[in-house]
């Protein structure tokens, strides 16, 4: 279990280090323009709909375990999302930062490449709720996969270990793309996404620590997640 979580955690730490480096080197508005400078019709369509996954599709996916009478998994996601969401909303109302479209209104010579059909927001930019939801969902999945790995006592199966590591890395890529989509759509700055991802990463880990005994009581786990 620790091997799988280490892969996810180390990869996220590397990603976070890169992001912190960018935030340190570039001013906030300049960095946004740098990350948002290249648009294509294909990318516009992709990120427009990909970002929407955090609005309801991920919540629907989190409800699916109920079909197999594994409500503990859905409760795990719900508790992680609610705890992370509470922290996020508190921060949003404390800081109440402008969104990119409002921040750039003071620079008349700068035109942000906006995506047609996207309803732009103007306030409560920090931190990103969408990024938090993406990371909550993917971190929950990574934790559950790691427990499945431990539960089946297959730590010495090299092939399975590689597969599980690839799955957890794929989850991180899914979350990272969700976070970047918010920058691409000019709904958030990179700093908003960064803090949102941290909340989305930490909240499930804390919740898992307190309810792990409840999760370990789930029977017939292999019927839920099959390798």
């Amino acid at each position: 279990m620790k091997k799988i979580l280490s892969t996810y955690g180390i990869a996220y730490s590397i990603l976070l280090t890169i992001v912190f480096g960018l935030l340190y080197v570039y001013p906030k508005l300049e960095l946004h323009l740098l990350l948002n400078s290249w648009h294509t019709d294909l990318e516009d369509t992709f990120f427009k709909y990909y970002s929407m996954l955090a609005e309801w599709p991920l919540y629907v996916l989190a409800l699916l375990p109920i079909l197999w009478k594994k409500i503990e998994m859905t409760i795990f996601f719900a508790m992680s999302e609610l705890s992370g969401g509470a922290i996020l909303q508190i921060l949003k109302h404390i800081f109440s930062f402008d969104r990119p479209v409002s921040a750039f209104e003071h620079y008349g010579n700068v035109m942000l490449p906006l995506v047609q059909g996207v309803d732009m927001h103007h306030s409560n930019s920090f931190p990103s709720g969408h990024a938090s939801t993406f990371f909550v969902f993917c971190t929950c999945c990574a934790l559950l996969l790691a427990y499945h790995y431990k539960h089946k006592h297959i730590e010495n199966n090299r092939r399975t270990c590689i597969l599980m590591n690839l799955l957890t890395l794929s989850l991180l890529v899914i979350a990272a793309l969700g976070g970047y989509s918010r920058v691409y759509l000019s709904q958030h700055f990179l700093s908003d996404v960064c803090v949102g991802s941290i909340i989305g990463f930490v909240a499930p880990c804390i919740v898992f620590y307190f309810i792990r005994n409840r999760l370990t009581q789930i029977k017939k786990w292999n019927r839920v997640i099959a390798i």
Side-chain angles (χ1 to χ4, degrees):
M1 181 176 182
K2 292 182 179 179
K3 294 178 182 178
I4 305 302
L5 294 181
S6 295
T7 299
Y8 187 83
I10 290 172
Y12 176 65
S13 298
I14 293 172
L15 177 63
L16 206 58
T17 300
I18 294 172
V19 170
F20 280 141
L22 290 172
L23 293 173
Y24 178 78
V25 171
Y26 293 96
K28 183 177 179 178
L29 300 185
E30 182 181 337
L31 178 58
H32 184 78
L33 291 176
L34 178 65
L35 296 173
N36 195 260
S37 60
W38 179 260
H39 275 239
T40 66
D41 291 339
L42 179 61
E43 289 173 331
D44 286 356
T45 302
F46 173 77
F47 285 115
K48 173 184 176 181
Y49 291 105
Y50 191 88
S51 181
M52 291 181 182
L53 290 176
E55 296 176 8
W56 62 266
L58 293 183
Y59 294 92
V60 173
L61 290 176
L63 291 173
L64 291 181
I66 296 177
L67 299 177
W68 291 275
K69 299 181 180 180
K70 305 299 178 183
I71 192 172
E72 293 88 351
M73 296 183 187
T74 297
I75 291 175
F76 173 42
F77 173 82
M79 291 178 65
S80 300
E81 180 65 20
L82 288 173
S83 58
I87 297 172
L88 187 138
Q89 289 302 320
I90 291 172
L91 292 176
K92 274 183 177 292
H93 287 86
I94 288 176
F95 293 101
S96 191
F97 289 162
D98 286 339
R99 303 265 182 154
V101 288
S102 294
F104 277 98
E105 285 179 354
H106 305 291
Y107 298 86
N109 59 336
V110 176
M111 293 293 294
L112 289 177
L114 303 181
V115 177
Q116 186 176 6
V118 176
D119 184 21
M120 303 304 298
H121 301 289
H122 296 265
S123 60
N124 294 330
S125 183
F126 179 87
S128 169
H130 281 67
S132 177
T133 297
F134 271 107
F135 274 87
V136 163
F137 180 83
C138 292
T139 302
C140 284
C141 290
L143 287 164
L144 292 172
L145 281 172
Y147 173 71
H148 172 60
Y149 178 74
K150 177 183 178 181
H151 181 80
K152 295 191 72 174
H153 304 290
I154 49 180
E155 289 89 346
N156 296 323
N157 189 322
R158 182 178 178 82
R159 182 177 179 182
T160 302
C161 181
I162 293 174
L163 175 60
M164 297 295 274
N165 281 320
L166 288 175
L167 285 173
T168 54
L169 288 176
S170 297
L171 287 168
L172 184 61
V173 170
I174 291 171
L177 279 174
Y180 175 69
S181 72
R182 305 307 290 167
V183 177
Y184 184 91
L185 298 174
S186 282
Q187 296 283 27
H188 287 284
F189 292 104
L190 184 61
S191 55
D192 308 332
V193 170
C194 177
V195 175
S197 76
I198 293 173
I199 294 172
F201 177 82
V202 172
C205 293
I206 294 176
V207 172
F208 183 82
Y209 176 81
F210 285 105
I211 71 168
R212 65 188 186 282
N213 291 333
R214 176 62 177 171
L215 288 171
T216 55
Q217 294 173 7
I218 300 175
K219 298 179 180 180
K220 300 180 181 179
W221 187 274
N222 57 324
R223 292 185 180 179
V224 182
I225 309 175
I227 295 179

